[in-house]
Structure formats: C-alpha cells, structure tokens
Amino acid sequence: MMVISIQKATCMYGANTIFTQLSCDIKQGERIGIIGRNGEGKTTLLKLMASQTEAHEGQVLKKKGLSVGILEQIPNVSENQKVKQILIQVFEDVWAIKQRMAEIELRLAQPVNDSALQKDLERYGELQELFEQKNGYEVDSQIAHITNGLQIVALLEKQWGQLSGGERTKVGLAQILLKSPDFLLLDEPTNHLDLSSIEWLASFVQSYKGTIAVVSHDRYFLDEVVTGIFELDQGELHVYHTNYTGYVREREERLVREFQQFQDQQKKIKKMKEAIKRLKDWANRSNPPSAGLHRRAKNMERALHRIEVLKKPVLEQKQMGLSFQLDQRSGEDVFVLDNICKRYGEKELLKQASMHIRFGERIAIVGDNGSGKTTLLKMLLGAESPDSGFLKQGSSLSVGYLSQHAQEMNPKRTLIEEFRDQVPVTEGEARGILAQFLFYGHMVFQKVHALSGGERMRLRWAQLVYQNHNVLILDEPTNHLDIDSKEVLEEALSRYKGTVIAVSHDRYFLDRFFPVTYWISDQQLTRYEGNYSFAKEKRKAQEKD
C-alpha cells in the first residue's frame, strides 16, 4: 500500500531551484535513505513529505489518516519545562484516562448508593479497557527503553533551557520515537549520538513497524537500516531498491550504462548531421536541383529534432582538493601518558590511564559521550593538564587540531581573511586554494558566522592541509560532511604519512582508517590492536568471560 506519492514536484529557495519535476513513491513498511551532496535538497524533500513546505509545482498525495512525525517538531516547549514532562506529553491521552480512573477509585473508596456504584464500576471497566488498548501499562517501560537507549536518563530532571543543542536534538529524537507515527521522518538522527546510541537506534529502526525516510551521511547506519535509497543529484532523483552498499554498486553500473547510451546517441546524431549535409550537397549539385533529395534531407532534419538528447552523465563531481604534506617528521615517540588521572568537576574521567603513540600510527579514541574523549585530546594538545601522572610530548611536533564544530574561528572575519590568518599566502593564491575546497567567486567574502557547519569544516580542512603538520588531532572530523566529501577526506588521509589521532562516531571511518583503537570506559583507557569492530568484538568476548 502506498504511504506517500510525490508527483512532478518543483521546489525553489528564493530564486534558486532546488529540484524540478521530482516524482517518487514510498510504500508501507519501507525504510528509505535519502542521500546526496550538501545543498541538493535532502532536507527540503523531507519537509515536503512532512507538509512543512509546499511544492511550487506538482502535488504530494498521502494515505488517508496517515500520522507523520519529523524529528524537528518539538511543539510548545517552554524553557523551564523538564525533559521528563516533555516526554510524558506524548502520552497525554493515556494520562488523562489514568487520571479519570484515579478519580473513580477515590469515589469507590467512599460509601455510595448501589446505582452510583454500578455506574462507576461500568465506567471504570470501560476506561480500564481503553487504557489497556493504548498500552497504558507499558508507558513507563517505553520511556525507560528509549531514554536508556539514547543515554539521556541523566537529562530527565533537567529543564529544557539548561540543555545544549546536541542534548535538545536527542530529547527531540526520543520524543518522536515515543510518538511512533505511521510515517517517521529523520534528518541526520545519528548526529550528537555516541557509538552505542547509534547502534541502539539502528536496532530500533530495523524493528520499527511503520514507514521511515531518513536523511543520513552515516554509511554503516544506512547499510543496517534502509531497504531503499533515494539519491538527489543535480536536481534529479534516482531510486535504488537496496541498501547503501548495493546503491554504490548499482549507481556505478547506471552511470556507465548512461554514459554508453549518451556516446551511442552522440554518434547517431553526428552521422545524421553528416547525412543531411551530404543530401543537401547532392541536391544542390543536380541540374536542376533535386527536390527529392531536399525532401529526404528535410525529413531527416525533422527526425533529428524529434530526438530527445540525453544529458551527459557526470561521472566525477567537483570535489575538495585534499593532499596533506609534511615539512618534517616528528620524533618516534609522539605522546607518552603514564598513570594519568583527570577529574572534571565532581566527575572522575580517567584513572591511572596510560597511552603510547608512535610516529605514523593511526589512533582512534572511542567511548560513550561524557567519558572523557575530548578532554583526553585537550591534554594531548596541552590545553588541559592531568591532575596526576606523567604526560610527555615528543620532539619536533607540529600539531594540527580540528575541533568538533570548528568554533575556534573568528565569526567576524570573511572566509578568505580567516584562511589567510592561518596560511600566509597572497589573496590570489588563497582564492586558488579555496576553490579546491569548493569556495568559488564571491563565496570567499562571506562572513564566517554565515557559513554552514559543512562549510566551516571544509574551511578548517583547507587550513590544515596547507599548514603541513606531522600530527593531526581530529575531533569528529566527518561531522557535517556529505558522503562525497568524507570519501575525499579518507582518500587524502590514506596518503598522509604523519600521525593521526581521531575521536569519531563514524563507524565506517573508524574501521577503514584506524588499525589501533583506544577505548575509554569506567575511567579506564584500553588499547586494542585492531579497528573499532575488532575492539567491540573483543570487549563482547571479555564480558562473556
């Protein structure tokens, strides 16, 4: 059964056309991953499905009575409202029934006449049946299941105004999952989640009884949960009935096939043009000119005009130009930590933690949110000091640091000013470099505060690449990057000869590029000689023992 059908929709943002004549159908029970480069209109398509925006042309048809939930919708939340209250609001009708049942229970405890007693008992039975139908007895366990899975139990007694942006996103996700709509729309749901929460969410989505459309750049997550892929590319929608890995294979086959069809058509058009030219030439040479040859030429021209010329497939999109260089290598020992202890306020993050990083190693640091990953990076950078223990930085270190949100930039500077503040080159050279990172023309004069998360990350990468560091410390380096940009980053890192230390929740990135994993758990720091998946399996085996 069809849940939603979009027919020949055109959406615009100001004077810019996002997509034209877009059509797609989603059937009941499907789980669709929506992918594409930043700016292609993924979020616009999601909002179109949620009726948060309207198409300038075309129409959106939905199944009658369809309940739709989108992650962004958090209605009427006041700053002093507690998180627990926000989540309980989802079950307002259930709580109203429970309250009416409680009122009847109070009356039943008092002496009443037989007719009133009978009415109360009948009404109580009806309410109890309705309460059971709405799974009222399972509400507490539902809230516990989702808050534990997303690891937001500690936020339940906090007020909305006290939450960070990331915490608000997680509460919003919890709320929409509790609503359990027929059609669930998620925009980058794995942002701000740690690895265990991402894996819990993947499991939740896999078993979800409704229909789902999700915008995500998380390749492992897409592989685990989706049954189909919608790819937005240059204003067109391509549909694949497979997961992300299958999409990569089928997309390559489609592009090769379309390119061959384009070449074949171009050859046919060229031959037709040559034939028309010859016929006209022969007709004009005849004495008198041949009307029959002219008619043949005219008929062939009409046939040529009727041909719908195929667009040339773009086999390679413009991509960031990343290529890391080293001015000089560091010493063999890059960082040595021995019996480090570190507290943050009342919380002990690390207890007698040790770490030894050598030149050229690729180190992943993983652990739950709040376990101390970013604090550990700051100690390596010298921005934080351990409370006790020994920390030594190696010789000849040149360290490049990428923070989670590139917040160290000056928001009042233009993009090119911010770049040249870190990389001393002429304006002309800077514009040439920035063009490699997809900043063209007047874009370089945008203020930093006006840049999107992805644009900030690209600018910071541009600075890092041209500073020639021999050590890179990366805190969530793939945040805000689309899949194409991630792949360019990964290709550049695969050629980099220096040391890389990264905190990331991107399991694909962790597994592919980091053969050593440090895991923070219960104040302990454990080294595993393998990637994230290897370390996870090792920990599972240890828990069983």
Side-chain angles (χ1 to χ4, degrees):
M1 184 182 292
M2 204 69 66
V3 168
I4 188 167
S5 179
I6 299 177
Q7 300 175 1
K8 296 183 177 180
T10 296
C11 281
M12 303 181 72
Y13 185 76
N16 297 321
T17 301
I18 307 297
F19 46 73
T20 308
Q21 297 284 296
L22 182 148
S23 296
C24 64
D25 297 322
I26 298 178
K27 295 177 183 175
Q28 190 167 318
E30 286 189 316
R31 299 191 298 271
I32 302 298
I34 302 173
I35 66 172
R37 294 162 70 86
N38 289 338
E40 287 283 2
K42 301 183 297 296
T43 298
T44 300
L45 178 57
L46 215 60
K47 288 183 175 180
L48 193 64
M49 293 175 179
S51 300
Q52 285 192 345
T53 190
E54 293 184 359
H56 292 78
E57 295 177 12
Q59 57 182 337
V60 179
L61 305 174
K62 294 178 185 174
K63 176 185 166 188
K64 189 175 180 181
L66 183 75
S67 62
V68 181
I70 186 167
L71 175 55
E72 295 176 338
Q73 295 174 336
I74 306 176
N76 302 321
V77 176
S78 64
E79 292 293 295
N80 60 358
Q81 202 167 8
K82 286 187 177 181
V83 169
K84 190 173 183 179
Q85 294 171 324
I86 294 168
L87 299 182
I88 287 174
Q89 279 178 352
V90 173
F91 304 102
E92 272 185 313
D93 55 341
V94 175
W95 291 115
I97 295 168
K98 190 174 183 180
Q99 189 173 0
R100 290 200 293 273
M101 288 169 65
E103 289 169 0
I104 294 174
E105 286 169 2
L106 283 174
R107 286 203 302 273
L108 291 174
Q110 306 297 324
V112 291
N113 61 52
D114 289 345
S115 72
L117 176 64
Q118 187 61 34
K119 282 182 183 178
D120 276 344
L121 287 172
E122 287 174 3
R123 182 57 181 150
Y124 190 84
E126 291 168 0
L127 289 171
Q128 191 173 38
E129 187 176 343
L130 187 60
F131 190 73
E132 288 175 0
Q133 285 174 2
K134 291 181 175 289
N135 298 317
Y137 294 110
E138 297 174 18
V139 166
D140 287 337
S141 63
Q142 281 180 270
I143 292 175
H145 175 58
I146 286 175
T147 54
N148 279 314
L150 296 177
Q151 297 187 4
I152 58 170
V153 175
L155 303 180
L156 290 176
E157 296 302 323
K158 283 191 174 184
Q159 293 181 341
W160 181 253
Q162 297 175 308
L163 304 185
S164 67
E167 289 171 338
R168 289 186 178 199
T169 300
K170 285 195 276 190
V171 172
L173 178 57
Q175 190 192 54
I176 204 69
L177 295 183
L178 285 168
K179 284 182 178 177
S180 194
D182 301 328
F183 189 25
L184 178 62
L185 304 172
L186 302 174
D187 194 352
E188 291 290 351
T190 59
N191 278 1
H192 309 292
L193 298 184
D194 56 29
L195 288 162
S196 58
S197 296
I198 291 171
E199 288 165 354
W200 175 87
L201 180 62
S203 175
F204 183 94
V205 170
Q206 284 170 338
S207 60
Y208 193 74
K209 290 185 175 126
T211 306
I212 295 175
V214 54
V215 171
S216 181
H217 298 312
D218 187 321
R219 291 157 290 186
Y220 269 17
F221 184 76
L222 290 171
D223 254 352
E224 289 170 335
V225 306
V226 305
T227 58
I229 293 284
F230 285 2
E231 179 201 32
L232 280 166
D233 184 20
Q234 301 180 84
E236 294 184 6
L237 182 75
H238 302 281
V239 177
Y240 301 85
H241 301 287
T242 180
N243 62 8
Y244 179 77
T245 298
Y247 147 77
V248 171
R249 182 180 62 255
E250 290 184 17
R251 180 180 185 272
E252 186 176 343
E253 291 169 356
R254 174 182 68 81
L255 287 173
V256 170
R257 185 172 61 252
E258 288 180 356
F259 191 74
Q260 186 61 54
Q261 290 169 348
F262 170 79
Q263 286 185 315
D264 292 343
Q265 188 187 63
Q266 287 297 303
K267 288 175 185 176
K268 180 181 177 181
I269 290 170
K270 184 180 178 183
K271 285 179 181 178
M272 289 179 72
K273 286 180 177 178
E274 289 171 350
I276 291 165
K277 186 179 179 183
R278 278 197 306 271
L279 286 169
K280 287 181 176 179
D281 187 42
W282 292 341
N284 291 330
R285 284 187 193 179
S286 299
N287 191 9
S290 173
L293 289 174
H294 271 301
R295 277 196 303 274
R296 285 177 62 189
K298 197 69 178 172
N299 289 338
M300 195 171 283
E301 280 183 330
R302 288 194 192 101
L304 181 62
H305 290 147
R306 284 196 298 269
I307 292 175
E308 188 176 339
V309 180
L310 299 173
K311 281 174 63 177
K312 183 179 180 180
V314 180
L315 299 180
E316 297 239 353
Q317 298 276 10
K318 287 181 179 177
Q319 295 181 325
M320 293 190 298
L322 280 175
S323 180
F324 294 101
Q325 304 294 326
L326 297 183
D327 280 344
Q328 62 172 345
R329 61 162 284 166
S330 69
E332 183 60 28
D333 292 331
V334 177
F335 293 106
V336 178
L337 286 72
D338 187 33
N339 287 325
I340 292 292
C341 292
K342 180 67 180 177
R343 300 185 73 86
Y344 192 81
E346 296 296 314
K347 186 175 181 180
E348 188 171 36
L349 295 175
L350 294 169
K351 186 175 181 180
Q352 295 183 329
S354 296
M355 171 185 267
H356 189 178
I357 301 175
R358 298 173 178 83
F359 176 76
E361 282 193 314
R362 295 167 186 275
I363 304 292
I365 301 172
V366 302
D368 290 342
N369 284 346
S371 61
K373 302 185 298 294
T374 298
T375 300
L376 178 57
L377 293 189
K378 288 181 177 179
M379 285 195 287
L380 298 180
L381 289 162
E384 295 265 1
S385 299
D387 297 328
S388 63
F390 171 77
L391 188 156
K392 178 188 175 185
Q393 291 186 338
S395 59
S396 304
L397 294 191
S398 172
V399 180
Y401 173 56
L402 182 77
S403 74
Q404 276 190 52
H405 309 290
Q407 288 175 335
E408 63 272 16
M409 296 180 183
N410 186 333
K412 295 180 181 178
R413 288 191 184 129
T414 64
L415 190 155
I416 194 167
E417 287 171 344
E418 182 64 31
F419 176 77
R420 293 179 68 196
D421 181 66
Q422 298 292 320
V423 183
V425 293
T426 66
E427 182 175 321
E429 288 172 325
R431 295 189 70 162
I433 292 168
L434 290 169
Q436 297 176 46
F437 291 82
L438 312 183
F439 296 116
Y440 304 109
H442 290 290
M443 290 177 70
V444 301
F445 299 112
Q446 280 185 291
K447 294 287 188 182
V448 168
H449 70 77
L451 300 180
S452 68
E455 287 168 339
R456 282 179 178 237
M457 200 61 80
R458 291 210 312 269
L459 174 55
R460 187 69 191 106
W461 275 118
Q463 292 172 329
L464 282 177
V465 166
Y466 283 88
Q467 289 170 334
N468 299 337
H469 299 293
N470 53 35
V471 178
L472 296 177
I473 294 182
L474 313 173
D475 195 356
E476 296 292 352
T478 60
N479 264 11
H480 310 292
L481 295 181
D482 57 36
I483 292 173
D484 284 355
S485 298
K486 287 182 182 184
E487 289 175 349
V488 175
L489 162 63
E490 290 161 358
E491 179 63 28
L493 281 178
S494 70
R495 297 192 299 268
Y496 179 62
K497 303 300 182 186
T499 307
V500 184
I501 304 161
V503 166
S504 179
H505 296 146
D506 186 329
R507 293 167 293 169
Y508 183 95
F509 180 66
L510 292 172
D511 274 354
R512 187 175 174 189
F513 291 99
F514 296 91
V516 177
T517 303
Y518 276 93
W519 202 302
I520 303 179
S521 178
D522 298 324
Q523 298 90 43
Q524 301 301 307
L525 186 61
T526 307
R527 178 175 172 124
Y528 295 92
E529 301 297 331
N531 64 14
Y532 166 73
S533 292
F534 171 87
K536 182 183 169 188
E537 289 304 314
K538 279 282 187 185
R539 293 178 66 82
K540 275 186 181 177
Q542 289 166 357
E543 286 170 7
K544 287 178 183 177
D545 294 342

